[in-house]
Amino acid sequence: MQLYLPIADLPVNVFLVLAMGAAVGFVSGMFGIGGGFLMTPLLIFIGITPAVAVASVASHIAASSFSGAISYWRRRAIDPALATVLLCGGVTGTALGVWTFTQLRALGQLDLMIALSYVVLLTTVGSLMFSEGLRAMMRTRRGAVPLRRTHNWIHGLPLKMRFKRSKIYLSVIPIVVVGIVIGFIGAVMGIGGGFILVPVMIYLLRVPTSTVIGTSMILTLVTMLFATMLHAMTNHLVDAVLALILMVGGVTGAQFGARAGQRIRGEQLRLLLGLLILAVGLRFAVELVLRPEDLFTIREIGVTG
């Protein structure tokens, strides 16, 4: 069954897009992430231009993060003060990211920048997460004691603030910087950034795991909602029809993914997630080298305004 996407300016198979949404939703539910790092490349691979894919997936990520954020809020697993400081940087980074997105599109370099960013970011993060998960599994099998977390130079920075829910005393400087980086990356690449934000908050900022996922979802929700609004107003690239289909499939798949994730150990989840991220990055690299014309097919998008 073919359906014409008005902004993407091409027909797509509804069942294929639904299946993609369900598959990414399953992964999102299993690993507790937004799934934009997987959804955006999949849309590009089926012929949707990178610009439309990035802008449309932002709304999908915002919708999928909403229900998760509510659930964590009810369980008091969100640190409001920490989320507020993160958002100060996140909103700024998102606005800067959309501005950069618009400038690169005007110069005709947007598609190339998105592809290169995915290759570099995903292969790097995927390799690090895969190796860390592998080492954790080996330590568990040997019965070794988990590595004790120690304070680093970040905890010596000024402008410290006490975050009661997370029970940490930390400078707001690195938190704002992390928010800016995640907001910028999300706006340019169409990813929520949870797979980057959660490890950074746990291993670098030493935020307890009890509040880190819920707090990161608040940042993802607000930044992706803000990015969707900015993309719609400035670039007119948000395809509402595409986003709606993805949402339906994503909500369905997330329910099954959450159940599957509860049956897998934490280090195994990190290992699998790292392998998945690395695989997507390598696939993008192969496409970029062997078939660049498939990624950078220029199509005029008929938009007025």
Side-chain angles (χ1 to χ4, degrees):
M1 177 181 173
Q2 297 289 317
L3 180 66
Y4 180 77
L5 301 178
I7 302 298
D9 193 26
L10 83 165
V12 295
N13 188 303
V14 176
F15 298 111
L16 174 61
V17 178
L18 275 174
M20 288 168 51
V24 174
F26 182 86
V27 173
S28 300
M30 176 180 289
F31 297 113
I33 55 178
F37 75 94
L38 185 58
M39 180 59 75
T40 302
L42 286 176
L43 292 177
I44 294 174
F45 293 153
I46 66 171
I48 295 175
T49 56
V52 175
V54 168
S56 301
V57 167
S59 60
H60 172 254
I61 298 173
S64 62
S65 300
F66 180 70
S67 59
I70 291 178
S71 175
Y72 279 99
W73 180 268
R74 290 174 177 172
R75 287 167 15 204
R76 296 179 62 82
I78 294 177
D79 190 322
L82 182 59
T84 300
V85 178
L86 277 171
L87 285 173
C88 290
V91 172
T92 303
T94 301
L96 181 61
V98 172
W99 179 83
T100 304
F101 182 100
T102 304
Q103 297 304 312
L104 289 172
R105 183 172 176 238
L107 294 173
Q109 300 298 317
L110 179 62
D111 291 359
L112 176 61
M113 183 57 64
I114 290 175
L116 291 176
S117 298
Y118 265 99
V119 172
V120 173
L121 181 64
L122 297 188
T123 53
T124 302
V125 174
S127 299
L128 292 174
M129 292 187 68
F130 179 78
S131 60
E132 191 278 331
L134 190 60
R135 289 195 300 269
M137 287 185 64
M138 294 176 65
R139 287 196 302 267
T140 302
R141 290 184 178 181
R142 292 197 304 263
V145 178
L147 297 176
R148 186 178 180 182
R149 297 175 186 173
T150 57
H151 284 244
N152 51 41
W153 61 272
I154 289 179
H155 292 78
L157 294 175
L159 300 177
K160 289 187 176 182
M161 178 177 175
R162 192 171 301 280
F163 301 96
K164 296 182 180 179
R165 184 70 59 84
S166 297
K167 299 179 181 178
I168 57 175
Y169 187 56
L170 185 65
S171 169
V172 299
I173 297 175
I175 301 175
V176 172
V177 171
V178 168
I180 292 174
V181 172
I182 296 299
F184 181 85
I185 292 175
V188 174
M189 298 178 61
I191 59 178
F195 69 97
I196 303 174
L197 179 60
V198 171
V200 167
M201 291 176 69
I202 292 176
Y203 297 110
L204 197 61
L205 303 183
R206 306 296 190 235
V207 179
T209 55
S210 59
T211 59
V212 70
I213 295 179
T215 304
S216 69
M217 280 191 172
I218 293 294
L219 178 65
T220 300
L221 170 62
V222 177
T223 54
M224 289 296 96
L225 186 60
F226 187 44
T228 300
M229 294 172 57
L230 291 180
H231 278 306
M233 291 186 296
T234 60
N235 298 307
H236 309 284
L237 292 174
V238 178
D239 196 309
V241 177
L242 174 61
L244 181 61
I245 299 174
L246 293 175
M247 288 177 197
V248 173
V251 170
T252 304
Q255 304 302 317
F256 296 97
R259 296 176 185 176
Q262 294 172 358
R263 302 173 184 175
I264 305 177
R265 296 172 62 92
E267 61 271 14
Q268 293 175 334
L269 279 175
R270 295 197 298 274
L271 181 68
L272 290 173
L273 180 58
L275 186 60
L276 179 62
I277 294 172
L278 180 59
V280 175
L282 292 177
R283 171 63 190 278
F284 233 112
V286 171
E287 292 285 337
L288 187 60
V289 173
L290 298 182
R291 295 188 297 174
E293 69 279 359
D294 291 348
L295 291 179
F296 309 131
T297 301
I298 305 299
R299 289 197 300 270
E300 291 297 328
I301 301 175
V303 180
T304 59

Coordinates of all heavy atoms in Angstrom, one line a residue, residues 130-144 264-272:
F130 N 30.7 -0.9 23.0 CA 30.9 -2.3 22.8 C 32.1 -2.8 23.6 O 32.0 -3.9 24.3 CB 31.2 -2.6 21.3 CG 31.4 -4.1 21.0 CD1 30.3 -4.9 20.9 CD2 32.7 -4.5 20.8 CE1 30.5 -6.3 20.7 CE2 32.9 -5.9 20.5 CZ 31.8 -6.8 20.5
S131 N 33.2 -2.1 23.6 CA 34.4 -2.5 24.4 C 34.1 -2.5 25.9 O 34.5 -3.4 26.6 CB 35.6 -1.7 24.0 OG 35.3 -0.3 24.3
E132 N 33.4 -1.4 26.3 CA 33.1 -1.3 27.7 C 32.2 -2.4 28.2 O 32.3 -3.0 29.3 CB 32.4 0.0 28.0 CG 32.3 0.4 29.5 CD 31.1 -0.2 30.2 OE1 30.1 -0.5 29.5 OE2 31.2 -0.5 31.4
G133 N 31.1 -2.7 27.4 CA 30.2 -3.8 27.7 C 30.9 -5.2 27.7 O 30.6 -6.0 28.5
L134 N 31.9 -5.4 26.8 CA 32.6 -6.6 26.7 C 33.5 -6.8 28.0 O 33.6 -7.9 28.6 CB 33.5 -6.6 25.5 CG 34.2 -8.0 25.1 CD1 33.1 -9.1 24.9 CD2 35.0 -7.8 23.9
R135 N 34.2 -5.7 28.4 CA 35.0 -5.8 29.6 C 34.1 -6.0 30.8 O 34.5 -6.8 31.7 CB 35.8 -4.4 29.8 CG 36.9 -4.2 28.8 CD 37.8 -3.1 29.2 NE 37.1 -1.9 29.4 CZ 37.0 -1.0 28.4 NH1 37.5 -1.2 27.2 NH2 36.3 0.2 28.6
A136 N 32.9 -5.4 30.9 CA 32.0 -5.6 32.0 C 31.6 -7.1 32.1 O 31.5 -7.7 33.2 CB 30.8 -4.7 31.9
M137 N 31.3 -7.7 30.9 CA 30.9 -9.1 30.9 C 32.0 -10.0 31.4 O 31.8 -11.0 32.1 CB 30.4 -9.5 29.5 CG 29.1 -8.9 29.1 SD 28.5 -9.5 27.5 CE 28.3 -11.3 27.9
M138 N 33.2 -9.7 31.0 CA 34.4 -10.5 31.4 C 34.6 -10.4 32.8 O 35.0 -11.4 33.5 CB 35.6 -10.1 30.6 CG 35.5 -10.4 29.1 SD 36.9 -9.7 28.1 CE 38.2 -10.8 28.8
R139 N 34.5 -9.2 33.4 CA 34.7 -9.0 34.8 C 33.6 -9.8 35.6 O 33.9 -10.4 36.6 CB 34.6 -7.5 35.2 CG 35.8 -6.7 34.8 CD 35.8 -5.3 35.5 NE 34.6 -4.6 35.3 CZ 34.5 -3.7 34.3 NH1 35.5 -3.5 33.5 NH2 33.4 -3.0 34.2
T140 N 32.4 -9.8 35.1 CA 31.3 -10.5 35.8 C 31.5 -12.0 35.8 O 31.3 -12.7 36.8 CB 29.9 -10.2 35.1 OG1 29.7 -8.8 35.1 CG2 28.8 -10.9 35.8
R141 N 32.0 -12.5 34.6 CA 32.3 -14.0 34.5 C 33.4 -14.4 35.5 O 33.5 -15.5 36.0 CB 32.6 -14.3 33.1 CG 31.4 -14.3 32.2 CD 31.7 -14.8 30.8 NE 30.6 -14.7 29.9 CZ 30.6 -15.1 28.6 NH1 31.7 -15.5 28.1 NH2 29.5 -15.1 27.9
R142 N 34.4 -13.5 35.6 CA 35.5 -13.8 36.5 C 35.2 -13.6 38.0 O 36.0 -13.9 38.9 CB 36.8 -12.9 36.2 CG 37.4 -13.2 34.8 CD 38.8 -12.6 34.7 NE 38.7 -11.2 35.0 CZ 38.7 -10.3 34.0 NH1 38.7 -10.6 32.7 NH2 38.7 -9.0 34.3
G143 N 34.0 -13.0 38.2 CA 33.6 -12.7 39.6 C 34.4 -11.5 40.2 O 34.5 -11.4 41.4
A144 N 34.9 -10.6 39.3 CA 35.7 -9.5 39.8 C 34.8 -8.5 40.4 O 33.6 -8.3 40.1 CB 36.5 -8.9 38.7
I264 N 17.3 -9.1 30.2 CA 18.7 -9.1 29.8 C 19.5 -8.3 30.8 O 19.1 -7.3 31.3 CB 18.9 -8.5 28.4 CG1 18.0 -9.2 27.4 CG2 20.3 -8.5 28.0 CD1 18.1 -8.6 26.0
R265 N 20.7 -8.8 31.2 CA 21.6 -8.1 32.1 C 22.1 -6.8 31.6 O 22.2 -6.6 30.4 CB 22.7 -9.0 32.5 CG 22.3 -10.3 33.2 CD 23.5 -11.3 33.3 NE 24.6 -10.6 34.1 CZ 24.7 -10.8 35.4 NH1 23.8 -11.6 36.1 NH2 25.6 -10.2 36.1
G266 N 22.4 -5.9 32.5 CA 22.8 -4.6 32.1 C 24.0 -4.5 31.2 O 24.1 -3.8 30.2
E267 N 25.1 -5.3 31.5 CA 26.3 -5.3 30.7 C 26.0 -5.9 29.3 O 26.6 -5.5 28.3 CB 27.4 -6.1 31.4 CG 27.2 -7.6 31.7 CD 26.5 -7.8 33.0 OE1 26.1 -6.8 33.6 OE2 26.5 -8.9 33.5
Q268 N 25.1 -6.9 29.3 CA 24.7 -7.5 28.0 C 23.9 -6.4 27.1 O 24.1 -6.4 25.9 CB 23.8 -8.7 28.2 CG 24.6 -9.9 28.8 CD 23.7 -11.0 29.1 OE1 22.4 -10.9 29.3 NE2 24.2 -12.2 29.2
L269 N 23.1 -5.6 27.8 CA 22.4 -4.6 27.1 C 23.4 -3.6 26.5 O 23.2 -3.1 25.3 CB 21.4 -3.9 28.0 CG 20.1 -4.5 28.3 CD1 19.3 -3.8 29.3 CD2 19.3 -4.6 27.0
R270 N 24.4 -3.2 27.3 CA 25.4 -2.2 26.8 C 26.2 -2.8 25.6 O 26.5 -2.1 24.7 CB 26.3 -1.8 27.9 CG 25.6 -1.0 29.0 CD 26.7 -0.3 29.9 NE 27.6 -1.2 30.6 CZ 27.4 -1.7 31.7 NH1 26.2 -1.5 32.3 NH2 28.3 -2.5 32.3
L271 N 26.5 -4.1 25.7 CA 27.2 -4.7 24.6 C 26.4 -4.8 23.4 O 26.9 -4.4 22.3 CB 27.6 -6.1 25.1 CG 28.4 -7.0 24.1 CD1 29.8 -6.4 23.9 CD2 28.5 -8.4 24.5
L272 N 25.1 -5.1 23.5 CA 24.3 -5.2 22.3 C 24.0 -3.8 21.7 O 24.0 -3.7 20.5 CB 22.9 -5.9 22.7 CG 23.0 -7.4 23.0 CD1 21.6 -7.8 23.5 CD2 23.4 -8.2 21.8

